[in-house]
Amino acid sequence: MSYRGYEAVIGIEIHVQLSTQSKIFSADSTSFEAGDNENTSPISVGMPGSLPVVNKKAVEYSIKTGLALGCDIRRKSVFARKNYFYPDLPKGYQISQYDQPLCENGSVTFKVDGVEKTVSITRAHMEEDAGKSNHHGDYTLINYNRAGIPLLEVVSGPDIRSPAEAAEYARTIRQIVRYLDVCDGNLEEGSLRCDCNVSVRKMGDPNFGTKVEIKNINSFRFVEKAIEFEIERQIDAVERGEKIIQETRLWDPDKNRTFSMRTKEDAQDYRYFPDPDLLPLTVSEAMIEQYRKELPELPIARAKRFQEEHALPEYDATVLTTEKDLADYYEETAKESNNFKASSNWVMTEILRELKEANKSIKDSPVRPKQLGQMIAMIDKGAISGKIAKTVFQEMWQTGKEPAVIVKEKGLVQISDPGAIEKIVEEVLAANTKNVEEYKLGKKAVFGFFVGAVMKASKGQANPELVNKILQEKLK
Amino acid sequence: MDLTFASISDIAEAVQNKKVSAKEVAEHFAKRIATLDEKLNSFTTKNDQAIKDAEALDTRIAKGENVGPLAGVPFGIKEMFCTKGLKTTAGSKILENFVPPYDATVVARLKAAGIVVMGKLNQDEFAMGSSNETSFHGPTKNPWKLDCVPGGSSGGSAAAQAARLVAGTLGTDTGGSIRQPASFCGIVGVKPTYGRVSRYGIIAYASSLDQAGPMVSSVKDAALTMEVISGFDSFDSTTTQRPVPAWSKNLKSDVKGMKIGLMKEYMSGSLHPDVQKTVENSIETLKKMGAEIVEVSVPMSEFAVPVYYLIAASEASSNLARYDGVKYGHRAEFKNLSAVELETFYGKTRGEGFGKEVKRRIMLGTYCLSSGYYDAYYNKAGQVRRLIMNEYLEAFKKCDVILSPVTTAPAFKIGERISDPLTMYLNDIFTTSTNLAGLPGMSVPFGLSQENLPIGIQLTASHFEEQKMLDVAFALESASPVKGKNPHVI
């Protein structure tokens, strides 16, 4: 995409917080609700003599993510120390992976405005989080609950060319880690943090421009806005003949702009070296095969299957696979109803609308997929009309009762007995002789009035198709 | 029973059989510490609870409980080990008032085996030194000659043990810090194979080299103590899953047919004549006992000292970064802290907290790890380290145990070398390569200099072959010309 004759080159680093019960190198809890410094032990605050031991679950989650991103998994990766001083870094170094990361050379494919885009994944490496500094005017308090939280840093290649692509890339990564159930993807709680590297160059220029890093953006909308701002800012600067300074910037959501945090002159020499307290992380073939087998069907493959096997339109398939739980819900409904498109319609309209209004997640839906499927099957069998179904659905949503029970209790069964309908039709026609005459004189519009009257008389339970058919016969 | 000279196993047995109470033992040694340590400065912190701890043990024994194989044995613990509720400074001002909320795994294991902690023992600051002169608590003196150093960094442990202020001590060895002071003070000191003993709770100096071990009065006591402290620890990923052998039970002084390697490189240097003579005597003794002497060579050991200092300093520069005045330990005073820049805060705190030698090594290590220098120094040192290990593995195809001097000369005078770090570093010439290769090594007393200073013999074995090394030491001990000789100070 061209911006005033320039092209944007964007790469994104996403810190994925792995949703393990304990920290990456200690048994300390990772719960978000804990009180200040409650989730700490001598290990996570780096007390003298304490040593790290790798959390197996964090390794499993990292490998699964790597596999889902099509990465090669290193059979022997190495934890390194990244040395720097900051009060919220308890040991004076962060344990991370440096020249031998666990996952490398993957890619992810997604669609932006209907066009397919593939972004390469350079690497995904394991590391520990630091604590959190809380600045209060002239003093600072530090909460080490975050120190040692396991992170997987997913680093993309410089393949992204627009803010929309950047946001969609980030959404796709979030979608994948949520599918894998290795991260809750909660941006507000910092479970997913995006750093964007942005540079601009003249269209066609093979060389990269100087890149600027925008750190810690906490929403996908801001990713888009921050990059948009940054592209314009950098082009303006280049056009004015200024040099772009390699620096780290932050996004100010109130002012809709990025601002400088530190320049490269302040850049640290991290003095990386292999952590002598941790042996190289070795991963066996058996482990990889095991984890590969445990991988769920990923969103893109699942959407494709829904289109092929369920004959769903692309739009439906995409919406239904945005989240694993939603796709599971749809699939269970469809299995019960045996009507794919009707199941898709009900889930996408009624269920999603009610959930949104009630601010609930699909997992908490009071209507279970099996119940919804049964109800759809009842429509197909003619047991209830589409209109009655709406009433049944509302009742299910309120009470959680089985659809058959609701229909029975409320007497909502559709009348499909032609004799019974004929009787009602005859009664209606007898009571409206004037209208019958008008109809016979050619005022065909009155037909609708008869249908309405029959439905009313049957309390909406008459099978509308039969009503139509019988009315037409009687009015001949 | 003469408690002062009793072995660890004798004390444990007597306490277990109620021939003597743990309390009496603790009182006996507490009295010795109170009257003799003034001369030595080997203790930094005395455990006020020691007698009570011993009484608690007696109560448990009275109830018929088995309190462990080291029941009631009074121990002194090097400052480097974290001890719950007992000050642990690593000999540094920066940890001046640090009281750990937990025990190092080895301390926990010794306590579970029934020892009574009598107190903490002096050491070079963060174990950086070979003379015990870099300690924030002042130098420890050699009980054989008070104007001499006890060696280092575990000098406090060596001095306290040699003067029999306790029945056993723990030391740590990064480049010879157990073996060299053991040699200088005439006791037995063992550095086990790297990974044999947990490092959890031991204040880190150089993580890939540090290993804890016993510093005691006999080979059997060493074997007994090793059995208690060794073995896998889920808190230290570098510990081995291998089972712990029954070293003390298997101990034998029969070396007939054993092949003792003499390292060509060790014998060609300029040795003090008394050390030379002690080594020759030990070889003759082993020959007479039926051992075969073979020459082996580890040519790369020539580079052991520089390689050791590059690796140790690099790791130390990182390990010591946590002492920043934020969470515990020393914090520099500022008139208005809120107006102070972070870097100034760190600079002043660390500037005040660390001593000269520690600063020297932090600077050296930081330089070695800096981008642009990493490949030339740290990385290259790692490669040479690998070569040294490979050469050792070749050498051990020809022999069971390698015999060598521990140091070039007996203990030197306090103040003699402290201003000359390079000479001081060369103290470690015979000991560092063992740590670089991760091998077990030990010092066993076998001679006295003309000035009546002890001289030890160093034995090194292949990985996890501690038994062979202990057996040779046991044989030498049985024939040692210094057997039963003790420093005049006691």
Side-chain angles (χ1 to χ4, degrees):
Chain A
M1 192 183 287
S2 172
Y3 300 86
R4 296 190 264 158
Y6 288 83
E7 179 182 52
V9 176
I10 303 156
I12 301 185
E13 293 159 16
I14 298 182
H15 287 86
V16 175
Q17 176 179 326
L18 303 172
S19 50
T20 52
Q21 295 291 303
S22 55
K23 293 186 179 179
I24 185 167
F25 297 121
S26 73
D28 297 351
S29 164
T30 53
S31 89
F32 184 74
E33 287 86 10
D36 293 342
N37 289 308
E38 205 179 280
N39 293 346
T40 59
S41 65
I43 299 170
S44 53
V45 296
M47 285 262 200
S50 62
L51 296 172
V53 175
V54 184
N55 179 340
K56 241 180 155 177
K57 208 77 191 169
V59 175
E60 176 190 328
Y61 285 2
S62 299
I63 292 175
K64 282 182 172 169
T65 308
L67 290 173
L69 296 175
C71 290
D72 301 328
I73 308 299
R74 259 185 200 270
R75 302 304 189 266
K76 196 171 169 185
S77 63
V78 171
F79 286 102
R81 291 187 183 176
K82 178 179 177 180
N83 293 279
Y84 67 95
F85 284 101
Y86 202 71
D88 65 17
L89 186 70
K91 300 187 289 293
Y93 56 84
Q94 178 193 25
I95 304 177
S96 181
Q97 293 189 313
Y98 181 54
D99 54 351
Q100 296 179 52
L102 182 60
C103 318
E104 287 170 303
N105 308 324
S107 71
V108 60
T109 300
F110 49 91
K111 271 188 180 169
V112 186
D113 298 330
V115 182
E116 209 160 81
K117 170 84 187 177
T118 298
V119 172
S120 64
I121 305 290
T122 312
R123 58 187 280 160
H125 63 259
M126 298 179 72
E127 63 182 30
E128 59 178 345
D129 206 349
K132 192 173 173 4
S133 298
N134 295 305
H135 304 288
H136 301 266
D138 65 348
Y139 66 97
T140 299
L141 298 174
I142 301 162
N143 185 344
Y144 290 107
N145 280 352
R146 283 204 75 90
I149 295 273
L151 303 177
L152 185 73
E153 185 175 336
V154 180
V155 182
S156 86
D159 305 334
I160 300 163
R161 293 288 173 268
S162 74
E165 280 180 15
E168 201 48 44
Y169 165 78
R171 279 191 199 101
T172 307
I173 296 291
R174 177 177 187 267
Q175 190 185 34
I176 290 172
V177 295
R178 281 175 57 89
Y179 253 77
L180 298 173
D181 210 10
V182 301
C183 170
D184 62 23
N186 192 329
L187 275 80
E188 292 85 48
E189 290 179 10
S191 306
L192 210 72
R193 305 201 295 268
C194 298
D195 300 343
C196 303
N197 288 299
V198 183
S199 67
V200 296
R201 62 181 172 190
K202 273 269 181 207
M203 276 315 261
D205 188 341
N207 300 315
F208 290 134
T210 304
K211 71 176 178 187
V212 163
E213 186 182 23
I214 318 167
K215 256 194 144 39
N216 283 337
I217 315 175
N218 67 354
S219 97
F220 298 133
R221 203 164 55 88
F222 291 159
V223 163
E224 209 163 338
K225 290 177 112 177
I227 294 175
E228 221 156 78
F229 174 88
E230 197 52 31
I231 293 171
E232 296 298 329
R233 186 189 71 83
Q234 289 186 25
I235 294 174
D236 285 349
V238 173
E239 291 278 278
R240 281 198 302 269
E242 291 170 17
K243 267 208 154 148
I244 302 293
I245 310 161
Q246 189 173 341
E247 61 182 344
T248 302
R249 296 175 75 87
L250 293 174
W251 170 249
D252 182 339
D254 298 324
K255 292 183 183 152
N256 263 325
R257 56 184 294 270
T258 64
F259 62 96
S260 184
M261 181 183 148
R262 58 169 180 256
T263 59
K264 205 202 167 196
E265 277 71 59
D266 312 322
Q268 298 246 15
D269 176 358
Y270 289 115
R271 305 187 308 281
Y272 284 100
F273 75 106
D275 192 326
D277 288 330
L278 290 160
L279 300 175
L281 179 64
T282 51
V283 178
S284 68
E285 298 298 324
M287 265 166 92
I288 293 178
E289 276 329 297
Q290 175 70 28
Y291 297 153
R292 204 191 293 279
K293 258 188 246 157
E294 286 169 17
L295 284 187
E297 187 181 20
L298 291 171
I300 289 172
R302 203 164 187 185
K304 211 171 158 195
R305 182 165 63 81
F306 284 175
Q307 287 175 65
E308 284 167 5
E309 287 178 13
H310 294 196
L312 290 185
E314 187 186 351
Y315 176 78
D316 290 34
T318 308
V319 171
L320 291 173
T321 51
T322 45
E323 287 200 44
K324 184 168 178 292
D325 290 335
L326 181 63
D328 287 346
Y329 188 100
Y330 156 74
E331 207 159 1
E332 214 180 310
T333 305
K335 198 177 160 198
E336 189 69 28
S337 71
N338 215 11
N339 184 337
F340 303 139
K341 181 58 184 153
S343 298
S344 164
N345 290 346
W346 277 92
V347 172
M348 282 175 41
T349 53
E350 304 299 312
I351 292 283
L352 287 185
R353 190 191 65 237
E354 293 293 343
L355 287 175
K356 201 177 168 196
E357 272 174 22
N359 198 19
K360 277 186 167 149
S361 76
I362 186 78
K363 268 191 167 166
D364 302 323
S365 165
V367 175
R368 302 313 310 144
K370 211 166 183 174
Q371 297 173 326
L372 183 65
Q374 283 165 1
M375 191 197 80
I376 294 168
M378 285 166 88
I379 303 171
D380 288 345
K381 273 186 248 152
I384 54 171
S385 66
K387 204 175 167 198
I388 291 174
K390 303 253 158 138
T391 313
V392 174
F393 179 81
Q394 279 308 320
E395 190 65 18
M396 284 202 293
W397 186 269
Q398 301 301 331
T399 64
K401 284 183 184 169
E402 299 299 315
V405 172
I406 293 168
V407 167
K408 203 176 167 196
E409 276 179 6
K410 298 229 155 189
L412 293 174
V413 184
Q414 180 166 259
I415 303 167
S416 296
D417 171 8
I421 294 174
E422 199 176 341
K423 210 180 145 203
I424 301 170
V425 168
E426 278 166 3
E427 280 168 21
V428 166
L429 295 180
N432 298 284
T433 48
K434 210 178 146 200
N435 301 74
V436 173
E437 266 170 42
E438 276 177 19
Y439 179 85
K440 287 191 171 161
L441 285 172
K443 205 177 173 189
K444 300 295 176 199
V446 184
F447 190 80
F449 163 79
F450 294 129
V451 175
V454 171
M455 291 310 288
K456 199 179 165 189
S458 73
K459 291 181 194 135
Q461 283 167 262
N463 182 329
E465 275 174 45
L466 282 175
V467 171
N468 264 307
K469 204 176 138 205
I470 294 168
L471 261 175
Q472 261 157 7
E473 279 169 12
K474 294 280 171 194
L475 288 168
K476 255 181 208 159
Chain B
M1 155 180 221
D2 182 358
L3 284 173
T4 305
F5 295 99
S7 71
I8 285 178
S9 50
D10 285 348
I11 292 177
E13 206 187 307
V15 170
Q16 194 70 264
N17 297 335
K18 298 179 207 160
K19 286 193 179 128
V20 62
S21 71
K23 189 185 174 193
E24 284 170 84
V25 177
E27 279 171 347
H28 173 84
F29 285 97
K31 206 170 145 196
R32 286 186 67 78
I33 295 165
T35 52
L36 290 168
D37 192 52
E38 273 178 25
K39 293 183 199 168
L40 300 175
N41 193 33
S42 65
F43 274 81
T44 51
T45 300
K46 287 159 201 151
N47 180 15
D48 300 332
Q49 300 295 310
I51 310 286
K52 274 190 189 163
D53 293 347
E55 274 181 323
L57 274 172
D58 287 329
T59 312
R60 289 176 53 203
I61 292 167
K63 281 187 203 156
E65 284 180 43
N66 181 355
V67 296
L70 302 183
V73 178
F75 256 77
I77 312 286
K78 189 183 181 181
E79 282 261 88
M80 206 73 164
F81 296 84
C82 285
T83 40
K84 192 174 177 175
L86 208 55
K87 229 195 263 180
T88 299
T89 72
S92 181
K93 181 180 176 171
I94 208 145
L95 279 172
E96 199 175 344
N97 290 307
F98 179 62
V99 180
Y102 62 105
D103 276 325
T105 297
V106 282
V107 172
R109 286 181 180 177
L110 283 172
K111 280 185 179 175
I115 68 150
V116 173
V117 176
M118 300 304 291
K120 301 302 284 286
L121 299 168
N122 207 356
Q123 62 167 89
D124 281 295
E125 186 180 0
F126 284 105
M128 297 178 190
S130 315
S131 66
N132 229 286
E133 292 165 287
T134 70
S135 171
F136 164 65
H137 307 284
T140 298
K141 319 248 165 72
N142 190 319
W144 292 79
K145 214 162 179 259
L146 292 175
D147 59 349
C148 281
V149 302
S153 66
S154 311
S157 301
Q161 182 65 37
R164 305 280 180 155
L165 302 187
V166 281
T169 70
L170 270 188
T172 63
D173 191 315
T174 307
S177 284
I178 284 177
R179 290 160 286 158
Q180 184 252 25
S183 176
F184 280 8
C185 292
I187 59 164
V188 175
V190 182
K191 176 232 167 274
T193 309
Y194 186 82
R196 188 65 106 173
V197 176
S198 169
R199 289 181 296 114
Y200 188 79
I202 300 175
I203 295 178
Y205 161 21
S207 312
S208 74
L209 302 163
D210 295 343
Q211 194 67 183
M215 299 176 74
V216 291
S217 293
S218 71
V219 176
K220 194 177 175 198
D221 282 358
L224 259 179
T225 309
M226 291 230 305
E227 283 166 21
V228 171
I229 63 171
S230 298
F232 175 72
D233 177 16
S234 61
F235 283 100
D236 178 358
S237 333
T238 61
T239 50
T240 177
Q241 298 267 7
R242 283 166 188 262
V244 178
W247 291 301
S248 64
K249 219 176 102 197
N250 299 338
L251 211 52
K252 58 180 199 302
S253 57
D254 180 12
V255 291
K256 205 167 280 172
M258 269 184 106
K259 284 182 182 160
I260 308 294
L262 288 183
M263 234 162 94
K264 214 165 71 177
E265 292 77 17
Y266 283 163
M267 306 314 293
S268 55
S270 54
L271 286 182
H272 187 286
D274 294 343
V275 173
Q276 179 88 40
K277 209 171 156 228
T278 303
V279 173
E280 281 163 11
N281 283 345
S282 70
I283 296 169
E284 281 314 308
T285 304
L286 289 172
K287 266 189 196 164
K288 267 185 215 153
M289 292 173 153
E292 188 190 334
I293 308 295
V294 294
E295 191 186 86
V296 293
S297 177
V298 181
M300 280 286 168
S301 64
E302 184 193 333
F303 304 107
V305 169
V307 164
Y308 167 78
Y309 276 95
L310 290 179
I311 289 173
S314 297
E315 291 181 8
S317 73
S318 173
N319 283 334
L320 269 54
R322 69 190 65 198
Y323 308 107
D324 58 5
V326 173
K327 302 170 295 294
Y328 47 76
H330 176 75
R331 175 186 285 188
E333 271 189 46
F334 293 94
K335 270 191 191 141
N336 180 7
L337 189 59
S338 63
V340 173
E341 290 284 317
L342 256 185
E343 279 176 23
T344 312
F345 172 81
Y346 290 140
K348 197 163 180 229
T349 295
R350 287 167 65 82
E352 291 173 3
F354 290 132
K356 218 172 168 181
E357 184 56 35
V358 171
K359 283 177 192 162
R360 189 178 357 249
R361 295 195 197 185
I362 290 176
M363 294 302 291
L364 175 65
T366 304
Y367 181 81
C368 290
L369 290 176
S370 318
S371 64
Y373 298 99
Y374 177 85
D375 285 331
Y377 296 113
Y378 185 80
N379 207 18
K380 185 65 77 184
Q383 290 166 349
V384 178
R385 177 182 189 173
R386 186 83 215 171
L387 294 178
I388 291 174
M389 192 171 100
N390 290 343
E391 287 183 351
Y392 263 112
L393 294 179
E394 278 303 308
F396 281 116
K397 284 180 184 164
K398 292 186 204 144
C399 66
D400 297 299
V401 171
I402 293 175
L403 183 148
S404 67
V406 184
T407 58
T408 52
F412 48 90
K413 291 239 163 65
I414 292 173
E416 192 182 300
R417 296 188 188 171
I418 192 70
S419 54
D420 182 1
L422 272 186
T423 310
M424 191 73 101
Y425 292 175
L426 287 172
N427 277 338
D428 306 336
I429 193 156
F430 297 140
T431 49
T432 48
S433 53
T434 310
N435 300 72
L436 290 170
L439 300 167
M442 70 182 291
S443 172
V444 57
F446 203 72
L448 277 183
S449 73
Q450 301 230 326
E451 293 191 304
N452 215 32
L453 282 167
I455 297 167
I457 291 294
Q458 177 170 231
L459 300 168
T460 312
S462 194
H463 298 108
F464 303 106
E465 298 284 8
E466 283 93 350
Q467 188 73 56
K468 287 184 183 174
M469 179 179 89
L470 290 166
D471 285 350
V472 176
F474 199 45
L476 282 177
E477 185 181 59
S478 69
S480 174
V482 295
K483 206 173 164 186
K485 291 202 171 126
N486 289 297
H488 76 275
V489 71
I490 57 170

